[in-house]
């Protein structure tokens, strides 16, 4: 692996500005790494060699011509395959959309293009972002570069594996119940879910609209802050978009990083987020982080969020309800690869049934059925209505918690990366991966995962949760946690992987 690819996006941007390297050279290095490693990892569903090199060349030409460029111009990026990019296949990891080329750019893609980041390709994901392992991708799973017999997390395992293995310095993910943060935790990368509404969802293929947020996947906290700075902001195309708040997250991430004295900082531990279900190895790394924070003078307080116990149940009603509605458009008429019925009469209904039967995978079908049931007359109040009440209680618990502390921290994922097949046939076991990440989606607050250390030689992430609109605070504290992590926490042993090829 070329050492230069191990540099952060910030460092690479500096090298580009200093003309130590050109964007075409850097993009070629990423493309070479993809060529070498991705046959084994399968992090990418589509690599846009030509498009990326063209964008890189245009940046280089402008730099030579003395045109003023945005600060990160020329640093390549990858995007999860559920963000529409004009003319580039965007499949959501589903046979339903195989071969579909969007006629428009998602707002985040427009912003990435304005920032002049060459888009290297689209990354693998669980079908329509449903899963925690990428095993539900219709095109085959992604492997974890730390151990190729293990999952890279999900649903955004492709972006996380691509960044962890240095194939690309940074990437975009989407997070409905943890799909940026859990892959971050199990691949030793940084993943952030911004405050709901901070980043436009226009052009993100919807999973559960009241929970979905796009966010950065990087190797450092500062890079994540910088990438969120690039993609956030008000967008009239998204009715849930928040008004522009001119906060420089990158600056914020640097504020406390080097601080030796953290006194005055109140860090909350949630009683309900550390016991049952969490592996001892994960808890050991988490507790070591807490101790280091305490040694630096941070005040550690324990808070109770009793309704968190019901958040998984509430999520697995609200999310499928929204999924069943959002995925209704894939009917072979409006969207989706049509399949004609092979027997019986051909009607709109039999065609839709054949299309959805053939082109959706098992997990998607399971959730559509669950969501349709939860919303059906007679059951609505009992299921969906109760889940919405729990959602309010989760928000209230968090409000009460944030009255006692500045941020909350917890393990991001209850275990380290598990082996392929270990949970893919047991939906409940798979859903349990989301216990720590779901509350932030239900409440719409920002949360991110930072590599903190290793357990059994595999990465463990610590999650930082901040109040809504306090993304800057989240980055500030995440940078502290990053500085306290063990040296090996984010150093993916990619050389071993290369040797084995
Ligand atoms: N693992 C969660 C799920 O399967 C998270 C999905 C996501 O955030 N997109 O629903």
């Amino acid at each position: 692996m070329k050492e230069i690819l191990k540099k952060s996006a910030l460092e690479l941007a500096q090298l580009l500005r200093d003309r130590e390297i050109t964007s075409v050279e850097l993009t070629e290095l990423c493309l070479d790494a993809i060529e070498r490693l991705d046959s084994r990892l399968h992090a990418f569903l589509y690599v846009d060699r030509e498009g990326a090199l063209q964008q890189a060349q245009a940046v280089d030409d402008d730099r030579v011509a003395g045109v003023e460029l945005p600060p990160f111009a020329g640093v390549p990026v990858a995007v999860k395959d559920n963000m529409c990019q004009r003319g580039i296949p965007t499949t959501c990891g589903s046979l339903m959309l195989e071969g579909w080329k969007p006629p428009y750019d998602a707002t985040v893609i427009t912003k990435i293009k304005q920032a002049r980041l060459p888009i290297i390709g689209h990354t693998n994901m669980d079908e329509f972002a449903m899963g925690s392992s990428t095993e539900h991708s219709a095109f085959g799973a992604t492997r974890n570069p730390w151990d190729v017999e293990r999952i890279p997390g999900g649903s955004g395992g492709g972006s996380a594996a691509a960044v962890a293995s240095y194939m690309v310095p940074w990437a975009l993910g989407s997070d409905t119940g943890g799909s940026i943060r859990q892959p971050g935790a199990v691949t030793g990368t940084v993943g952030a879910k911004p405050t709901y509404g901070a980043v436009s969802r226009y052009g993100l293929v919807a999973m559960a609209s009241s929970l979905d947020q796009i966010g950065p996947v990087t190797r450092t906290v500062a890079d994540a802050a910088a990438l969120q700075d690039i993609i956030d902001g008000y967008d009239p195309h998204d009715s849930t978009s928040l008004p522009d708040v001119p906060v420089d997250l990158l600056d914020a991430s640097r504020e406390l990083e080097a601080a030796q004295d953290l006194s005055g900082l109140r860090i909350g531990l949630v009683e309900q987020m550390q016991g049952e279900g969490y592996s001892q190895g994960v808890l050991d790394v988490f507790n070591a982080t807490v101790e280091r924070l305490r040694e630096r003078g941070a005040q550690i307080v324990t808070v109770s969020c009793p309704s968190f116990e019901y958040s998984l149940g509430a999520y697995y009603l609200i999310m499928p309800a929204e999924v069943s509605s959002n995925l209704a458009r894939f009917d072979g008429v409006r969207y989706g690869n049509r399949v004609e019925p092979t027997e019986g009469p051909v009607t709109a209904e039999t065609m839709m049934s054949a299309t959805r039967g053939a082109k959706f995978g098992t997990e998607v079908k399971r959730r559509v059925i669950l969501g349709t049931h939860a919303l059906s007359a007679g059951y609505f109040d009992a299921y969906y209505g109760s889940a919405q009440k729990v959602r309010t209680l989760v928000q209230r618990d968090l409000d009460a918690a944030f009255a006692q502390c500045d941020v909350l921290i917890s393990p991001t994922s209850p275990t380290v990366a598990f082996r392929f097949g270990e949970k893919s046939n047991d939906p409940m076991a798979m859903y349990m991966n989301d216990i720590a990440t779901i509350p932030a989606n239900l409440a719409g607050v920002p949360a991110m995962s930072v590599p903190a250390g290793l357990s059994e030689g595999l990465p463990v992430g610590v999650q930082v949760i901040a109040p809504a609109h306090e993304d800057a605070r989240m980055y500030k504290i995440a940078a502290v946690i990053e500085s306290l992590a063990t040296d090996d926490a984010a150093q993916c042993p990619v050389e071993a992987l290369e040797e084995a090829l």
Side-chain angles (χ1 to χ4, degrees), residues 11 95 164 189 199 267 402 404 430:
E11 291 167 330
L95 297 176
T189 51
V199 178
I267 295 189
F402 287 129
Q404 299 167 62
M430 192 69 93

Side-chain angles (χ1 to χ4, degrees), residues 129-132 154-155 174-179 207 315-316 319 367 434:
M130 302 175 199
S132 304
S155 63
S174 69
D175 191 310
T176 304
S179 284
M207 178 183 166
Y315 171 81
Y316 276 94
M319 173 273 296
R367 296 194 193 196
D434 307 331

Side-chain angles (χ1 to χ4, degrees), residues 150 279-285 415-417 452-460 486 488:
R150 291 175 191 262
S279 79
Q280 195 51 50
V282 166
L283 289 177
D284 288 346
V285 172
T415 65
V416 294
L454 301 185
S455 162
E456 307 161 51
L458 294 167
V460 174
T486 56
D488 50 8

Side-chain angles (χ1 to χ4, degrees), residues 80 82 125-133 136 153-156 174-183 193 207-208 211-213 312 315-316 319-320 323 363 367 430-434 437-438 441:
K80 189 175 177 180
N82 56 355
M125 56 186 281
D126 285 296
E127 185 174 9
F128 286 105
M130 302 175 199
S132 304
S133 67
H136 299 316
S155 63
S174 69
D175 191 310
T176 304
S179 284
I180 292 176
R181 290 163 286 157
Q182 181 258 7
K193 182 200 90 70
M207 178 183 166
L211 303 159
D212 298 340
Q213 259 305 275
L312 191 75
Y315 171 81
Y316 276 94
M319 173 273 296
V323 158
E363 185 58 27
R367 296 194 193 196
M430 192 69 93
Y431 300 166
M432 287 305 285
N433 285 290
D434 307 331
T437 45
I438 278 171
N441 298 83

Side-chain angles (χ1 to χ4, degrees), residues 15-151:
L15 291 178
L16 286 161
R17 286 194 297 268
D18 294 345
R19 315 238 184 143
E20 301 272 340
I21 189 169
T22 66
S23 179
V24 166
E25 285 164 352
L26 180 55
T27 305
E28 298 255 19
L29 286 175
C30 291
L31 290 165
D32 288 351
I34 294 170
E35 196 136 304
R36 273 198 323 279
L37 291 177
D38 211 42
S39 56
R40 190 77 183 116
L41 295 176
H42 194 229
F44 284 88
L45 290 179
Y46 185 81
V47 179
D48 185 16
R49 168 175 276 277
E50 220 176 288
L53 286 171
Q54 256 171 28
Q55 295 160 41
Q57 186 65 59
V59 170
D60 290 341
D61 291 347
D62 281 352
R63 206 182 300 276
V64 170
V67 176
E68 202 181 320
L69 288 165
F72 295 93
V75 181
V77 68
V79 301
K80 189 175 177 180
D81 202 30
N82 56 355
M83 296 171 211
C84 292
Q85 184 181 348
R86 192 185 318 149
I88 299 294
T90 302
T91 69
C92 293
S94 181
L95 297 176
M96 186 62 94
L97 283 175
E98 195 177 15
W100 182 61
K101 292 182 183 159
Y104 71 108
D105 281 336
T107 297
V108 289
I109 299 289
T110 304
K111 289 187 178 252
I112 290 283
K113 287 182 175 173
Q114 282 162 354
R116 309 288 304 267
L117 312 184
I119 303 173
I120 282 262
H122 284 208
T123 54
N124 198 11
M125 56 186 281
D126 285 296
E127 185 174 9
F128 286 105
M130 302 175 199
S132 304
S133 67
T134 73
E135 287 165 294
H136 299 316
S137 166
F139 307 109
T142 297
R143 292 174 180 274
N144 190 324
W146 288 75
D147 176 351
V148 291
E149 300 309 323
R150 291 175 191 262
I151 59 98

Side-chain angles (χ1 to χ4, degrees), residues 461-492:
V462 164
Q463 176 176 233
V464 181
I465 311 176
H469 313 289
E470 296 290 350
D471 302 50
R473 191 190 300 173
M474 168 181 78
Y475 280 110
K476 196 156 52 173
I477 312 248
V480 173
I481 292 177
E482 178 179 54
S483 74
L484 299 175
T486 56
D487 290 342
D488 50 8
Q491 301 293 327
C492 179

